[in-house]
Amino acid sequence: MSDYKRFFVPGGTYFFTLVTAARRPVFQNEKAVRLLGSIMRAVLTAHPAETIAIVVLPDHLHAIWALPSGDCDYSMRWRNIKRDFTIAWLASGGHEPDSSSEKKRESRRGVWQRRFWEHTIRDEYDLEAHFDYVHYNPVKHGLVPAARDWPWSTFHRYVATGHYPPTWATAPDETRLKHGTGE
């Protein structure tokens, strides 16, 4: 088994990728996306973290969080989000693939992949690159022709604040890395 190493920086900013089990499109269902949002808000109210950016796609999500000073326990937050979402999703009639005997022995469910991917943001350039990556992801996956067309993204918040023009990331868009200039 692989030895997973996580990098913990108290008060750090992190980029995350979480994937559904077997890449099932759980979040093609609007009810599931709204439930996830509700669960995330509850967990992040109890254990504060700032969601800088997020996009929820049918089978995975990307998020950027800034943790409070002195706090580096992002794993606990994701564990709680995944657990609480799974319980609420299944209770509301949501489906999961059949659980393997290993999952049953470990009391795991089949809604999420077991782990998540994390990257510690190093500087402003790294943050901006991941920020753009989050918001461009629905276009990259061919789900929509433009970032503005994907409803489950903080892209709309950043258009409202002027960080992105509404036409940013329109496929194919040669100028997507020149966001904010409209050139």
Side-chain angles (χ1 to χ4, degrees):
M1 167 161 267
S2 297
D3 185 21
Y4 289 90
K5 303 263 188 224
R6 299 247 186 239
F7 190 54
F8 298 100
V9 175
T13 300
Y14 302 90
F15 167 82
F16 302 99
T17 300
L18 286 83
V19 180
T20 60
R23 287 218 175 245
R24 292 191 62 215
V26 172
F27 300 111
Q28 72 183 5
N29 179 316
E30 181 176 341
K31 180 175 122 181
V33 178
R34 292 190 184 282
L35 179 61
L36 177 65
S38 175
I39 298 290
M40 287 185 73
R41 282 186 293 279
V43 169
L44 297 180
T45 296
H47 307 284
E50 177 190 0
T51 300
I52 294 171
I54 189 167
V55 64
V56 180
L57 299 154
D59 63 356
H60 69 286
L61 68 87
H62 299 290
I64 301 174
W65 284 354
L67 295 181
S69 178
D71 188 341
C72 60
D73 199 356
Y74 53 78
S75 292
M76 172 270 299
R77 289 167 174 85
W78 283 121
R79 181 176 50 252
N80 289 350
I81 289 166
K82 289 167 72 172
R83 179 200 62 217
D84 294 355
F85 174 81
T86 298
I87 291 167
W89 176 242
L90 296 176
S92 73
H95 299 287
E96 68 178 325
D98 292 333
S99 290
S100 67
S101 57
E102 178 187 348
K103 282 183 183 176
K104 289 177 183 170
R105 266 195 316 277
E106 295 175 3
S107 298
R108 290 189 295 126
R109 302 305 302 250
V111 176
W112 296 97
Q113 279 189 4
R114 185 173 182 181
R115 293 184 172 87
F116 59 88
W117 191 82
E118 128 278 328
H119 165 79
T120 304
I121 300 294
R122 297 180 306 273
D123 55 31
E124 288 299 316
Y125 297 107
D126 194 26
L127 175 61
E128 194 65 30
H130 283 86
F131 190 78
D132 285 348
Y133 180 83
V134 165
H135 295 119
Y136 186 69
N137 217 249
V139 179
K140 174 188 165 203
H141 287 286
L143 298 169
V144 291
R148 69 177 173 257
D149 298 327
W150 191 253
W152 312 116
S153 170
T154 50
F155 176 76
H156 309 286
R157 175 194 322 164
Y158 290 106
V159 167
T161 65
H163 184 86
Y164 289 120
T167 57
W168 183 84
T170 302
D173 184 0
E174 307 301 326
T175 64
R176 74 177 180 85
L177 295 179
K178 297 178 186 177
H179 74 275
T181 65
E183 299 177 75

